[in-house]
Structure formats: C-alpha cells, structure tokens
C-alpha cells in the first residue's frame, strides 16, 4: 500500500525536541510509516501567529529540518532538480516542504524567491489571523495588494497556494489569481459546521481550478466516529465530482487525534474500513496516493 499525506506539523515537534524522525513519540516517524511501500509526506514549517520574528523562527526550524530531519538515508527532500519518481525509485520516503502561514515573507517580496530556493513548494497564506497578505478564519480581511504581488511571484515559481485557514473573502480573492491551488487539511462544512471547513462554493472552485482537497483527521473538524466521518466526507466529495481530487491531509503532530487514527500506520485500518464499505481498490488507491501524486507531478517537475 502507498500513502501520500498533504500536511503534518512534525517539523516543529522535531525542532522543539531537537530530534528527527527516529523519535517514536512523533506521529510521523520512520516506524509509523514503514508499512507503506511508497510514502510521500508534505512537511509544513508552521509559524504561529504569536511569533515576534516570524522569518527568524522559520529559518531556525528550516535549519533543523535540513540538517537533522532530512539529513538521513531514509528520506529525501524534493527540490527543483529531482522528481517524486527519482526519490521513490531509490526506496526513500519523499518529503515536500510547505510553509504554514506566510508571515515570514513580511513585506519583502523577494523572500518568495528565497522560499523557493529553500525548497518550499506550498505556502499556506495565513494561519487563523490576518497578516500582510490575506485574512485567516479569525479575521475579515481580504487579499491585500501586496498579497496579489506575492501570489504573482508564487505563480512564477509554480508554488502552490494552500487555501486551508483562509476566510471566505480571502479564499475567493486568492483563487481568482493563483495558478495552483489546493486545501491541504480541510473538510466539508456541510457535514461539520466548523469555520475551518469548506463550503460548497469553495469546494466547487477548487474542483473547477483542478485543485485537490486533503481531508483532515482532527476530530473537531469531523462528526462522530473518525472513520465514519471521513467516509461521509469522501462520499460527499464524490457526489460533487471529486473522484480524482480527493486526498488526505492528516494534520499529524499538529492536533490531538483519535486513537483510531493517530499515526500513519493506522491508515491501514481505515483502508480496510473503506473496503468493508464496498469502496473499490482503485478508488482507495486514488484517495490514498494517486490523486496527490498526479497533482504534484503536474508542477513539481516543471522548471522555472
């Protein structure tokens, strides 16, 4: 079985504990992912809204990630010179770097260039608050003039815009100008009325722009049993036409999870659950791996 996860906050946990993926206290670690033949993980550098020096904090976490977490024979960070296939054929886990909250850009547009050179391929524009670029779910701000320039620079480098955490106003203003969009860790608002979940108009916009949605495992964004609720989200998205655009973005190491799904290895149980619901193996493979793989191959292999 293969697995491609669109979001985790493991890098911050590694930074705080000065450890790497050998740390068995992490949800995402070498042992918990060993059950997958091919494994791809988007690792976010999460910058909390409370950081006084967001760029310095980002650089500190990134330095630990590069020198400690990704400096290991079992994992390789994707760069503009490599491809997913190159890494997976070598038998390693593939890591893709994202930035969760673009506050480290501050008011310096050329930092987008630096982020690309650092290996960042996805940027979640906000966390929950407002920044100089856009408004998160706890604000009413829209996409700023500077934010439009940031997205234009991201388009130049084929950096994907992550729509998770944006408020509705910013969401729609961003999707008008961004080339590559996705929601790495959000669920369906219709099924659970949480401000972090996506309403039908938002979901339709993602589908129309050939984006993908990574379903979040955090119980607060679901209702009832985690397996059943995720299944209901999948069914809902399938009814909207998302067969080739449903993915999984667990939010491991970033939230308190149900014991049924608190580490990647537990996804084997979830896959068995879906089989019991008469879901085809082809569809399970799409949701667990192929949809994300195809999405990222669409722009990660492009050259600037």
């Amino acid at each position: 079985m293969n697995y491609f996860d669109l979001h985790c906050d493991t890098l911050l946990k590694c930074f705080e504990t000065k450890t790497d993926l050998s740390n068995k206290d992490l949800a995402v670690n070498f042992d918990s992912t060993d059950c997958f033949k091919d494994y791809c993980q988007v690792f976010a550098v999460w910058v909390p809204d409370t950081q006084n020096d967001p760029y310095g904090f980002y650089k500190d976490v990134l330095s630990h990630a590069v020198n400690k977490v990704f400096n290991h024979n079992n994992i390789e960070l994707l760069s503009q010179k490599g491809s997913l296939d190159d890494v997976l054929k070598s038998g390693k886990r593939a890591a893709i770097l994202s930035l969760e909250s673009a506050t480290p850009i501050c008011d310096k547009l050329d930092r987008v260039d630096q982020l690309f050179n650092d290996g960042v391929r996805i940027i979640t524009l906000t966390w929950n608050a407002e920044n100089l670029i856009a408004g998160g779910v706890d604000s009413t701000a829209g996409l700023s003039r500077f934010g439009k320039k940031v997205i234009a620079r991201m388009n130049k480098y084929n950096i994907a815009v992550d729509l998770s955490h944006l408020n509705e106003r910013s969401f729609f203003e961003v999707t008008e100008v961004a080339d590559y969009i996705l929601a790495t860790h959000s669920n369906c608002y219709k099924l659970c009325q949480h401000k972090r979940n996506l309403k039908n108009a938002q979901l339709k916009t993602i589908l129309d722009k050939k984006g993908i949605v990574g379903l979040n495992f955090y119980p607060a964004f679901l209702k009832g049993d985690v397996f059943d609720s995720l299944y209901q989200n999948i069914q809902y998205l399938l009814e909207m036409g998302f067969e080739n655009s449903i993915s999984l973005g667990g939010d491991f190491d970033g939230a308190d999870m149900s014991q049924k799904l608190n580490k990647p290895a537990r996804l084997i149980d979830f896959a068995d659950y879906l089989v019991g619901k008469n879901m085809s193996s082809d569809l399970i493979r799409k949701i667990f791996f192929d949809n994300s793989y195809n999405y990222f191959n669409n722009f990660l292999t492009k050259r600037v």
Side-chain angles (χ1 to χ4, degrees):
M1 180 177 176
N2 300 332
Y3 182 54
F4 198 132
D5 189 281
L6 292 180
H7 182 84
C8 75
D9 287 317
T10 307
L11 292 184
L12 182 56
K13 290 286 184 71
C14 288
F15 173 72
E16 291 172 341
T17 57
K18 304 305 176 189
T19 57
D20 60 17
L21 298 183
S22 299
N23 181 358
K24 295 184 179 180
D25 291 331
L26 300 170
V28 177
N29 62 60
F30 289 133
D31 283 352
S32 70
T33 60
D34 194 48
C35 56
F36 302 106
K37 178 180 179 293
D38 288 335
Y39 180 82
C40 302
Q41 177 68 60
V42 176
F43 287 90
V45 177
W46 173 43
V47 181
D49 290 334
T50 54
Q51 271 299 319
N52 293 324
D53 178 17
Y55 185 68
F57 181 82
Y58 157 76
K59 294 299 285 187
D60 287 345
V61 177
L62 177 69
S63 177
H64 181 80
V66 171
N67 294 313
K68 185 78 173 178
V69 180
F70 300 136
N71 189 17
H72 196 286
N73 289 334
N74 288 349
I75 191 167
E76 184 171 333
L77 179 64
L78 266 290
S79 70
Q80 62 267 38
K81 296 180 181 179
S83 72
L84 284 171
D85 284 336
D86 292 336
V87 176
L88 296 176
K89 286 178 180 177
S90 72
K92 297 181 180 180
R93 297 158 176 82
I96 297 170
L97 189 64
S98 73
L99 173 63
E100 186 176 19
S101 179
T103 50
I105 293 173
C106 299
D107 61 351
K108 303 181 187 306
L109 189 59
D110 61 355
R111 281 191 178 163
V112 178
D113 308 46
Q114 183 59 53
L115 291 170
F116 177 78
N117 291 333
D118 289 341
V120 172
R121 296 296 177 264
I122 307 167
I123 298 178
T124 314
L125 296 180
T126 68
W127 200 56
N128 292 335
E130 173 187 350
N131 58 30
L132 294 177
I133 294 167
V137 292
D138 287 340
S139 80
T140 59
L143 180 66
S144 68
R145 291 183 180 179
F146 177 67
K148 290 181 180 179
K149 294 179 181 179
V150 168
I151 292 177
R153 189 66 64 91
M154 290 172 64
N155 289 342
K156 171 186 174 183
Y157 286 110
N158 301 319
I159 298 174
V161 177
D162 181 9
L163 304 165
S164 291
H165 286 283
L166 289 176
N167 62 35
E168 287 186 70
R169 177 184 172 188
S170 285
F171 179 101
F172 289 111
E173 291 175 354
V174 166
T175 54
E176 288 180 359
V177 294
D179 286 350
Y180 292 102
I181 63 168
L182 75 166
T184 60
H185 55 304
S186 296
N187 298 338
C188 302
Y189 185 86
K190 182 73 172 180
L191 301 179
C192 179
Q193 287 73 54
H194 192 287
K195 62 186 177 181
R196 273 277 286 104
N197 287 338
L198 300 171
K199 296 181 179 178
N200 283 5
Q202 294 172 293
L203 292 169
K204 186 177 185 303
T205 298
I206 293 173
L207 186 62
D208 289 345
K209 294 206 66 170
K210 303 186 187 313
I212 53 175
V213 173
L215 294 177
N216 195 318
F217 306 159
Y218 183 38
F221 299 167
L222 300 166
K223 274 195 174 181
D225 175 77
V226 61
F227 283 5
D228 181 65
S229 187
L230 284 170
Y231 171 72
Q232 296 300 327
N233 273 266
I234 290 170
Q235 290 297 110
Y236 191 81
L237 291 174
L238 288 172
E239 291 173 4
M240 292 189 69
F242 270 82
E243 179 176 342
N244 297 313
S245 303
I246 308 172
S247 302
L248 300 173
D251 210 359
F252 288 124
D253 290 311
D256 293 328
M257 299 298 182
S258 163
Q259 289 297 308
K260 292 182 69 173
L261 197 51
N262 61 356
K263 57 185 177 181
R266 296 283 166 83
L267 286 163
I268 302 295
D269 297 331
F270 182 49
D272 290 341
Y273 174 88
L274 295 178
V275 170
K277 290 288 188 179
N278 297 317
M279 188 172 289
S280 72
S281 58
D282 285 346
L283 181 54
I284 293 172
R285 187 165 54 249
K286 284 184 177 183
I287 294 168
F288 276 59
F289 188 84
D290 289 354
N291 289 343
S292 291
Y293 173 86
N294 292 335
Y295 175 87
F296 280 95
N297 263 352
N298 190 33
F299 72 92
L300 278 177
T301 55
K302 292 185 177 180
R303 300 294 182 263
V304 176

